């Protein structure tokens, strides 16, 4: 994504998909009990951010994780530039609240600079394993028929899967009644999704009741608050051998539009 493809405003006001069309509300963490790190998080994420934690799952039969690492998986992603995010006053205000929260000491702040050049939202996961995927001529042509579009990053999200990771949800532009990210998924033959998340923060331990209530309050107050608009003109095929993409590389960039 070039500098010109990043913007906090657009020349014509886009219409975005809203919660009733997306899965964020349905997939939200249940904050009525203290937040505990779930098994998927303790297998794929916790070994990378707190390798000495007694709750890590180093490996599991039938899974390819070994202390959070695995063979290279290639996925289609929507890249997000850290410097654009940090130029947003709203995002900086949200992060300041997290740094002042009672659970701030349980956020792996040291991971952020290691991931700052590979922030993204996954659009089509697991395109291939070990070897880079072949992008067919039909898929490339379908992408060329999709004009560049805008997405909006909002609030803070904690889900009911990978409980322990905090995200920024992506709200895609809607054109002629169609969700633009679903159009991209269709170009790859994927069924339409309704969750696109920029993984940002990782917890290093369970939260107690007071800490959980504080997180729930931040999620509630920041829900649907715009943080940044991105004009998307390209997507990337990214390969990584861990779910935090600490060693990720961009295999290829795919342009939208003719």
């Amino acid at each position: 994504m070039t500098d010109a493809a990043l913007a906090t405003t657009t020349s014509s006001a886009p219409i975005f998909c809203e919660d009733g069309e997306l899965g964020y509300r349905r997939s939200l963490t249940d904050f009525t009990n203290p937040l505990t790190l779930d098994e998927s998080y303790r297998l794929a994420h916790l070994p990378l951010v707190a390798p000495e934690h007694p709750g890590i799952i180093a490996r599991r039969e039938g899974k390819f994780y070994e202390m959070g690492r695995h063979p290279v998986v290639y996925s289609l992603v929507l890249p997000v530039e850290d410097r654009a995010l940090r130029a947003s006053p709203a995002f900086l205000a949200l992060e300041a609240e997290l740094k002042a929260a009672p659970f701030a000491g349980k956020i792996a702040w040291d991971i952020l600079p290691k991931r700052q050049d590979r922030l993204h939202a996954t659009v089509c996961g697991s395109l291939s394993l070990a070897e880079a995927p072949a992008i067919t001529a039909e898929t490339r042509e379908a992408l060329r028929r999709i004009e560049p579009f805008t997405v909006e990053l909002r609030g803070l999200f904690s889900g009911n899967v990978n409980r322990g990771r905090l995200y920024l949800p992506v709200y895609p532009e809607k054109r002629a009644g169609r969700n633009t990210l679903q159009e991209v998924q269709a170009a790859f033959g994927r069924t339409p999704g309704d969750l696109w998340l920029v993984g940002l923060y990782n917890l290093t331990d369970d939260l107690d009741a007071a800490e959980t209530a504080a997180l729930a309050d931040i999620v509630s107050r920041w829900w649907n608050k715009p943080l940044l608009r991105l004009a998307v003109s390209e997507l990337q095929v990214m390969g990584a051998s861990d779910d935090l993409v600490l060693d990720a590389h961009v295999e290829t960039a795919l342009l939208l539009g003719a």
Side-chain angles (χ1 to χ4, degrees):
M1 185 178 296
T2 64
D3 291 347
L6 293 164
T8 55
T9 59
T10 56
S11 55
S12 59
I15 297 171
F16 296 104
C17 297
E18 296 297 340
D19 283 337
E21 305 162 273
L22 302 172
Y24 299 122
R25 291 284 187 188
R26 181 193 71 239
S27 305
L28 189 62
T29 295
D30 179 1
F31 292 114
T32 58
N33 296 305
L35 185 151
T36 57
L37 309 178
D38 67 5
E39 288 192 4
S40 61
Y41 185 86
R42 292 188 292 121
L43 178 68
H45 295 261
L46 195 58
L48 301 173
V49 299
E52 304 302 320
H53 193 287
I56 66 169
I57 301 173
R59 61 194 64 83
R60 172 157 288 170
E61 186 69 26
K63 303 289 185 180
F64 62 8
Y65 291 94
E66 181 73 28
M67 284 298 290
R69 301 193 178 276
H70 53 70
V72 177
V73 173
Y74 290 88
S75 298
L76 182 76
V77 306
L78 188 162
V80 176
E81 289 194 8
D82 180 75
R83 62 189 180 88
L85 194 57
R86 295 189 177 279
S88 162
F91 170 75
L92 295 179
L94 169 61
E95 188 167 84
E97 285 201 25
L98 290 172
K99 288 181 176 179
F103 56 86
K106 295 180 178 179
I107 294 177
W109 297 105
D110 60 308
I111 292 293
L112 269 64
K114 299 176 184 179
R115 304 184 64 250
Q116 64 182 7
D117 62 345
R118 59 206 72 180
L119 298 181
H120 68 277
T122 299
V123 181
C124 298
S126 302
L127 292 178
S128 65
L129 179 66
E131 299 292 333
I135 309 300
T136 67
E138 291 79 8
T139 293
R140 292 179 184 274
E141 177 57 30
L143 292 175
R144 281 194 289 268
R145 291 196 297 268
I146 301 172
E147 292 298 322
F149 56 86
T150 305
V151 300
E152 189 168 75
L153 308 186
R154 298 182 186 174
L156 188 70
F157 179 81
S158 173
N160 54 18
V161 178
N162 282 336
R163 197 169 56 244
R165 198 171 198 199
L166 305 178
Y167 306 84
L168 303 181
V170 177
Y171 286 75
E173 183 176 356
K174 183 167 63 173
R175 289 180 177 168
R178 295 191 298 273
N179 178 322
T180 47
L181 283 178
Q182 289 180 348
E183 289 191 309
V184 171
Q185 291 177 318
F188 283 81
R190 295 294 182 93
T191 56
D194 58 8
L195 290 168
W196 299 278
L197 299 162
V198 180
L200 205 56
Y201 305 104
N202 283 79
L203 298 179
T204 58
D205 205 352
D206 299 335
L207 302 186
D208 63 25
E211 292 166 339
T212 300
L215 174 59
D217 177 63
I218 292 174
V219 169
S220 176
R221 286 188 293 102
W222 282 88
W223 193 270
N224 259 333
K225 286 191 177 180
L227 303 179
L228 180 70
R229 286 187 182 182
L230 300 175
V232 182
S233 60
E234 72 171 41
L235 300 165
Q236 297 175 348
V237 175
M238 179 181 287
S241 57
D242 65 85
D243 286 11
L244 295 186
V245 296
L246 296 174
D247 67 346
H249 68 278
V250 175
E251 180 68 21
T252 188
L254 298 170
L255 297 178
L256 298 176

